[in-house]
Amino acid sequence: MSFSASPRPLWGPRRRSLLASAAGAALLAGCSGGSESEERAAERSAGDAARARAGKDSEALAARYAAVMSAHPGLAERLRPLRAEVVRHAAAFGAGGGRTASPGVSSAAPDSVSASASASARAAGPGDDSGRVPADEKGAVALLAGAERKLADRRAADLLEVPGELARLLASVAAAGAAHVYLLTEGDG
């Protein structure tokens, strides 16, 4: 039995050489990596900036809570657990080292806490108020609820622009902020 010649002409690339070329091209494209590592670095720095901003926002919110608690001692029992949670959020974002990151409000030096809290609240608070605590308790609680709502909404909007783990953290903290809004407004009916 003799082997017959292939009906295919002998000129041009063979199937094996085409497959080998395609595999080689895929490997070369996968190994170029220069732009991918630059993208990761840019994503990481954007994530770091978002994390730092979120930490500062949480510290400013904790300062706002401290200012309200200092101005309205009757609200301290109701607000202390919420503020402690906000302080934990700041710590989760890597913030800390400041006076506003302490879990409790010192009753020994309310003036210094209030002054520090007011300065921080003015610096990072919503633009529609001057950072002053309203004279009535209901207005002060409404101020906190508004600040929590605004911050939770901003964090929810930022979710799509940050890397995975930070997005999960932002989502969790935004949900906690929404729960704080509910707890602050539940009796207003």
Side-chain angles (χ1 to χ4, degrees), residues 72-89:
H72 301 286
L75 292 173
E77 185 176 336
R78 178 181 175 193
L79 299 179
R80 191 171 290 118
L82 299 177
R83 181 180 183 276
E85 235 181 84
V86 170
V87 169
R88 283 191 295 272
H89 296 161

Side-chain angles (χ1 to χ4, degrees), residues 58-59 61-66 68-69 75-90 100 102-105 140-146 148 151 155 173 175-186:
S58 290
E59 286 180 328
L61 184 59
R64 193 170 285 242
Y65 269 96
V68 169
M69 291 166 62
L75 292 173
E77 185 176 336
R78 178 181 175 193
L79 299 179
R80 191 171 290 118
L82 299 177
R83 181 180 183 276
E85 235 181 84
V86 170
V87 169
R88 283 191 295 272
H89 296 161
T100 61
S102 64
V105 174
V141 171
L143 174 80
L144 288 175
E148 285 271 17
L151 188 54
R155 286 176 173 163
V173 174
H180 288 185
V181 171
Y182 172 76
L183 291 171
L184 290 167
T185 61
E186 73 178 323

